[in-house]
Amino acid sequence: MRRYAASLYLINPRAGVQKGKPLPQLIEERCKAAQYPFEIVHTVADGNYQFLIEKIEQQQITDVIICGGDGTISAVAAAIRHLHVNMGIVPRGSGNGLAFAAGISKEPHKALDVIFKGATSVVDAFLINGQFSCMLSGIGFDAKVAHDFDRERKRGFWKYVKLVIKNLFSIRTWQFTIESAEKKFTADAYFVSIANSNQFGNHFTIAPRASLNDGLLDIVVVEKSNLLLLPFRVLWHIRFGTFTKPEAKSYGITYFQTAAVVIQNHEGAPLHIDGDGKATDKMLKVEILKNAYRLL
C-alpha cells in the first residue's frame, strides 16, 4: 500500500446511480483510515480538464481517480496522460467498458481496494483524427445510440438498452472503405467498431482478442445481413465474443487487428468516442497510441 499517495477523486454526479453509502462518504472514510491525503471535486460538464494539469503539479498529486463512466475517463486521460500520475477508476457509468476490461469491480469497496493496492499497468489508447480515445469508438449504429443517449436527462444501463431497441427498428447501413497495412475493402455495414478494450461495456464482448497494451487496434465491421438474423445470431455472437469461430464466419462480421487504419465514411455515418457522440467526418484516420497512461 502506498503510504504517501495524494489522491484527487473526480466524481461525475450525472453518472449511473450507485446503491448503498454515498460515494463521497465512502471515499472519505477509506482515505482517512489509510491516512491518504485526498480531495474530492466534481467533474465538469464541458469535458475540459486542462485545469487539472496545474493542480496536479502544484499539489504533487500522485493519483487521479475517476468516479464515472468511459466518457469521463477518456476526457480526463486526454488532458493529463503526459503527466507522471496514475489513473484509477471507480466505475459509475452505464457501460464501464474500460473498468471491466481491466478487471475492476463495479462494487465501490472493491474498486477502492484496487486503487489502494497501488499496482499500475501502462495502457494503450488511440487517436481518431487527433481526438483521444481510451477504449472504444465507433461509426454507425452504436454511435447513433450514443448521440441519442447524450440527449437524455436520465441515464443508466436500462435507458441505454431502451435506446438500442428503439434504434433497431430503424437500423440502416452506411458505406465505408476501410484501409490498413493488412487489407483494403469496401462494405455496407451497420457499424464499425475501433477497440482497444475487448467490450462495449456490461461484459458485452465486441473484440475478444483485444488487449489493453498489445500495441494494436481491433477493428470490427458488422456488414449488411438478413435483418431477422441481426438481433439473434449476429448480436448473440458479438455478445459472447464467439464470432471469430469458423462456424460464425457467414454472419457478415469482419474482424482484424492493426496499428493504424483509414476509414472513408462515404455517407457521413455518426461517430462516437468512448460512448460520447462526436461530430463525424468523411475520412477518419485512426492510429494506436502506445503506453498512453498508467492505470491502477
Side-chain angles (χ1 to χ4, degrees), residues 100-125:
F100 291 160
I104 298 170
S105 172
K106 193 173 182 179
E107 205 284 310
H109 266 295
K110 293 180 180 178
L112 289 171
D113 286 342
V114 171
I115 292 161
F116 290 167
K117 182 180 178 181
T120 61
S121 296
V122 290
V123 175
D124 297 335

Side-chain angles (χ1 to χ4, degrees), residues 133 202 274:
S133 177
N202 291 300
D274 294 323

Side-chain angles (χ1 to χ4, degrees), residues 7-179:
S7 300
L8 177 67
Y9 287 81
L10 290 162
I11 296 183
N12 183 355
R14 194 167 172 248
V17 176
Q18 186 72 55
K19 295 181 180 179
K21 186 178 294 185
L23 185 57
Q25 180 183 343
L26 176 60
I27 291 169
E28 182 177 358
E29 291 175 358
R30 291 290 302 268
C31 288
K32 286 183 176 179
Q35 298 183 334
Y36 281 3
F38 73 99
E39 182 181 355
I40 297 174
V41 299
H42 276 173
T43 55
V44 294
D46 65 2
N48 186 345
Y49 290 95
Q50 293 299 312
F51 72 92
L52 288 178
I53 297 172
E54 184 177 359
K55 188 177 185 68
I56 289 167
E57 292 175 340
Q58 288 185 351
Q59 299 181 15
Q60 297 183 327
I61 291 168
T62 57
D63 305 328
V64 174
I65 313 304
I66 300 102
C67 307
D70 293 317
T72 305
I73 295 165
S74 181
V76 174
I80 68 171
R81 60 186 177 85
H82 64 285
L83 301 178
H84 188 73
V85 65
N86 303 316
M87 290 178 54
I89 306 171
V90 178
R92 292 193 31 107
S94 301
N96 305 305
L98 179 60
F100 291 160
I104 298 170
S105 172
K106 193 173 182 179
E107 205 284 310
H109 266 295
K110 293 180 180 178
L112 289 171
D113 286 342
V114 171
I115 292 161
F116 290 167
K117 182 180 178 181
T120 61
S121 296
V122 290
V123 175
D124 297 335
F126 55 96
L127 299 175
I128 300 180
N129 287 357
Q131 296 185 82
F132 181 88
S133 177
C134 69
M135 48 121 359
L136 176 72
S137 296
I139 322 159
F141 175 78
D142 56 330
K144 174 64 168 58
V145 175
H147 279 271
D148 290 350
F149 192 62
D150 287 344
R151 290 190 288 268
E152 294 290 330
R153 293 182 62 187
K154 293 184 178 180
R155 298 168 72 85
F157 171 70
W158 289 112
K159 174 60 70 173
Y160 189 84
V161 170
K162 289 178 182 178
L163 288 173
V164 169
I165 294 171
K166 177 183 176 182
N167 277 279
L168 277 173
F169 287 101
S170 59
I171 193 169
R172 55 159 294 187
T173 60
W174 287 268
Q175 189 179 76
F176 305 101
T177 298
I178 299 165
E179 183 174 4

Side-chain angles (χ1 to χ4, degrees), residues 177-247:
T177 298
I178 299 165
E179 183 174 4
S180 70
E182 295 79 10
K183 60 177 64 187
K184 179 179 180 179
F185 62 99
T186 297
D188 288 322
Y190 296 113
F191 63 87
V192 178
S193 286
I194 306 144
N196 182 53
S197 160
N198 63 3
Q199 59 178 271
F200 279 121
N202 291 300
H203 305 292
F204 197 108
T205 302
I206 183 60
R209 297 176 187 152
S211 166
L212 292 175
N213 56 2
D214 63 356
L216 293 172
L217 301 166
D218 288 58
I219 311 300
V220 182
V221 184
V222 179
E223 299 179 51
K224 188 173 183 177
S225 63
N226 187 328
L227 279 175
L228 294 176
L229 295 179
L230 184 66
F232 302 104
R233 292 184 179 178
V234 176
L235 294 184
W236 175 271
H237 282 293
I238 292 174
R239 166 64 180 87
F240 295 103
T242 57
F243 59 81
T244 58
K245 294 182 178 180
E247 62 268 25

